[in-house]
Amino acid sequence: MKLLLVLSLLAVGTYGFAVKQQRSFPSNFLFGCATAAYQIEGAWDEDGKGESIWDHLTHNKPYYIADQSNGDIAGDSYHKYKRDVEIMRELGLDAYRLSLSWPRILPTGFANEVNPAAIDYYNNLINEMLKYNIVPMVTLYHWDLPQKLQELGGFTNPLFPEWFEEYARVVFESFGDRVKHWITFNEPREVCELGYGDIDKAPALNSSAVGTYLCAKHLVLAHANAYHMYSNDFKPTQGGTCGITIHVDWFAPLTDSAEDELAAEVRRQGFFALYADPIFSADGGFPKELSQRIAQKSAQQGFSKSRLPEFTDEEKAWVHGASDFFGMNHYTSNLISATGNKDFPALPSLKDDMDVGTVMASEWLPSASDWLKMAPKSLYNALVDINRRYNSPIIFITENGWSTTSDVGLMDDERIAYYRAALEDVLDAMDEGVNVKGYMAWSLIDNFEWMRGYSELFGLYHVDFEDPERTRTAKKSAFVYKHIVKNRYIDYDYEPESMTMTIDEGH
């Protein structure tokens, strides 16, 4: 009798473990991959394309890039788009998140001059995807601002929301009959804090005192302009949805002290809520604690008013609720201290305004990127926080990925471990009622990784950048991701039988 009981308990335990490991994603869950135009397209000056801020930066200040490379050719997707769609079919993807190049479509930045070659290129790409039932998820802006607009102030110009709305109208008119998932901006924090308040992204303006905040307000207003224009003028006939993608890493207190708890919340506000709260929070406007700190610092520094511009009541109402979904990019976690690990080279700046310290746990597995480690329950924590903070929005995970160096080659087991852990986090969050509708792995292919050039690689497919044909070859992670997409669960025992990728019937 005792033996029977023990065997029964073992069976229950084993069954419970199996269920946890093989929980299924819903059949309508969108599995995909993501890329960005400047990082993969190449053809930087072909067929009437205008200069972007990344063209300008990499050509005029190549020393900003780790390997002094650029995206002039990159993966050459402008000419190799059919191979890219073939890769999507090999992986069995439900969806593909791409971005459009604003200076390719509008070479001067303004809508009076539309480049027909660009419209043809994106039509061909979208149609090729739809031929194989791959859902296009399209980002209007993934960092490649027309240089002509930057020379007029870019995101710091109060006219920027109007410029963006004009561009968005051209895009919706050109592709909205087929594209039903729109994203206005990718990662406002990287645009504003790193591009305008620092030198870590183009245009490397380094206006640390006010650049971040002017950019934040104008970007959020531009998003709202495009969203309302789509909702009023296009959604009734095209029937799509429009949202925004915000980078949401997780920030946990270093200790359980009240001071570190508050410091972690202020860090969250400076990293993502600065851009998300005006759109998604119940109260609207910029986040409270961060706004108070900026106002206090501004007064101490002799400014006549806060360096963070306020929304008028009309603007606040215009922005509030202006999104059909929350696009979330997530990569890692940080531990936040109210007292230690502070490094603020620029004063005034957002970092100094927040006045918190950041550290990563030494036991977390490092990637090829100094900012990216594999932290436990990282994506789960971020998803649960966004769900609680913003009243259970529809969420698409629009980027999530792991970097390696070229030395790793095709056997990228750490990337596999990262993806499996992240997708377990997604399932855990969904079990708790978080409304996650899709997951886009970053990235489909190796690409130009901004300031790191080609020294850090995120692709599921290796790109031979020495080969004029830019040959793409599946890494081991591609086979594992394909297995997850096809079977809708995570199988830790799965190993690819060969490293030859084929297209399954039906794809």
Side-chain angles (χ1 to χ4, degrees), residues 445-465:
I445 61 174
D446 288 338
N447 53 49
F448 176 82
E449 190 50 41
W450 309 113
M451 294 305 197
R452 304 309 301 167
Y454 300 99
S455 65
E456 298 173 8
L457 304 171
F458 280 83
L460 289 167
Y461 276 64
H462 166 74
V463 176
D464 185 351
F465 294 107

Side-chain angles (χ1 to χ4, degrees), residues 304-323:
S304 60
K305 60 181 180 180
S306 176
R307 289 177 282 105
L308 179 65
E310 295 181 357
F311 289 106
T312 65
D313 289 342
E314 183 180 13
E315 288 171 338
K316 188 182 292 188
W318 179 246
V319 169
H320 186 251
S323 193

Side-chain angles (χ1 to χ4, degrees), residues 32-33 87 91 93 410 412 415 419 441-446 458-462 473-479 481-482 501:
C33 285
I87 287 172
L91 291 170
L93 300 185
L410 303 180
D412 53 345
R415 179 173 288 113
Y419 277 131
W442 183 270
S443 176
L444 183 73
I445 61 174
D446 288 338
F458 280 83
L460 289 167
Y461 276 64
H462 166 74
T473 306
K475 301 176 187 178
K476 184 179 177 182
S477 59
F479 293 89
Y481 190 56
K482 174 178 181 173
M501 185 67 82

Side-chain angles (χ1 to χ4, degrees), residues 23-43:
R23 293 172 295 172
S24 294
F25 289 90
S27 60
N28 63 349
F29 187 89
L30 289 180
F31 274 112
C33 285
T35 62
Y38 182 77
Q39 293 180 272
I40 67 165
E41 282 182 3

